[in-house]
Amino acid sequence: MAKYKKERSIKVHDGDKKGKQGSNNNNNGGISRKCALLVKEQRARLYILRRCATMLLCWYIHGDD
């Protein structure tokens, strides 16, 4: 069975202003994307925590019936 390697292409910037601005925009986009992912993850954790707290409270209140 033969194994194949994927070739990776490497982009090289010429060092002009346009190339530098593009890399800054990508960097800022990466930071905002990471921030958005962190916010989304924290919202999911808070949602789970809220659901668990509600479930435990309901068990506590209705458990004596």
Side-chain angles (χ1 to χ4, degrees):
M1 198 156 119
K3 293 184 180 179
Y4 297 99
K5 292 183 181 179
K6 290 185 178 181
E7 292 183 22
R8 296 182 184 180
S9 62
I10 300 173
K11 294 182 180 181
V12 179
H13 292 289
D14 293 336
D16 59 343
K17 283 187 175 183
K18 191 174 184 180
K20 288 181 182 178
Q21 287 175 353
S23 64
N24 285 340
N25 289 338
N26 290 339
N27 190 21
N28 290 339
I31 291 171
S32 63
R33 187 178 303 128
K34 286 180 184 179
C35 186
L37 287 175
L38 287 174
V39 168
K40 187 175 182 179
E41 183 179 344
Q42 290 300 319
R43 288 178 69 193
R45 287 179 186 215
L46 287 173
Y47 173 78
I48 293 169
L49 184 65
R50 187 174 64 238
R51 292 290 304 239
C52 289
T54 303
M55 182 179 61
L56 290 172
L57 187 60
C58 288
W59 282 355
Y60 179 76
I61 292 171
H62 299 293
D64 293 337
D65 290 345

